[in-house]
Amino acid sequence: MQHELASLERRVSTLEDEELEVMEQLEQAQAALTRVTEQLSAVDIRMADLVAVRDERTAAIDVELGAVVAERVPAVEGMPEDLLALYDRLRASKHGVGAAELRQRRCSGCQLTIDHAELAVIRAKPTDEVIRCEECQRILVRTGESGL
């Protein structure tokens, strides 16, 4: 009986030690859970702020886009449909820039200088004829600063 009592006391002591270890692990896990929960809350707040800023900026861009579209309507009035179609197609394929100013013998679309022979060809064409850059294929807009 004495032997069994001693054996049971050792077993109880071992189980109490194991219980303490498990309780320590539980405390550590709960502390980690609290930290992660706080971090998650901070991230959720930050994300909500960023979503609000994104939505505000999107709304501002939509307003600006509406204004630009409204400005475009009178600007394209009376232009030939084929020219508008060409411009829109080029604009879609050239990252939003379908026409470029010809300034000082340079295409402002691709930034390349146009050689003298090509300038002579452009100079000889009527002012109402559509001219395109040989390199980037954008519509060239001739101005007083074109160097013609």
Side-chain angles (χ1 to χ4, degrees):
M1 213 49 151
Q2 288 275 3
H3 179 36
E4 271 188 48
L5 266 172
S7 176
L8 287 173
E9 285 178 6
R10 281 192 309 270
R11 179 75 178 135
V12 166
S13 176
T14 303
L15 289 174
E16 286 175 347
D17 291 344
E18 289 177 5
E19 182 182 23
L20 286 175
E21 287 179 22
V22 168
M23 289 173 68
E24 285 178 21
Q25 291 174 353
L26 177 62
E27 285 178 15
Q28 291 172 357
Q30 286 177 333
L33 175 63
T34 301
R35 281 192 313 273
V36 169
T37 302
E38 289 170 357
Q39 290 173 349
L40 179 62
S41 295
V43 167
D44 285 343
I45 290 169
R46 177 76 175 134
M47 187 174 81
D49 292 344
L50 291 174
V51 166
V53 168
R54 180 205 61 198
D55 292 345
E56 288 174 16
R57 289 182 181 172
T58 300
I61 289 170
D62 288 342
V63 167
E64 186 178 344
L65 179 62
V68 168
V69 167
E71 287 176 15
R72 184 177 190 239
V73 170
V76 299
E77 199 170 288
M79 285 192 174
E81 290 297 320
D82 58 339
L83 179 60
L84 286 175
L86 172 65
Y87 172 76
D88 287 336
R89 190 175 66 247
L90 287 170
R91 187 172 58 125
S93 68
K94 301 290 183 184
H95 307 292
V97 181
E101 182 181 11
L102 176 60
R103 181 185 293 209
Q104 298 175 353
R105 300 180 8 229
R106 178 180 292 259
C107 171
S108 63
C110 61
Q111 301 301 321
L112 295 176
T113 301
I114 298 175
D115 64 42
H116 292 290
E118 182 64 25
L119 279 176
V121 170
I122 293 172
R123 194 177 296 119
K125 293 192 178 187
T127 57
D128 62 345
E129 187 173 332
V130 176
I131 310 262
R132 294 178 63 183
C133 176
E134 290 287 321
E135 294 299 322
C136 67
Q137 298 303 309
R138 288 182 175 93
I139 298 169
L140 288 176
V141 178
R142 294 176 273 184
T143 66
E145 298 177 13
S146 294
L148 297 176

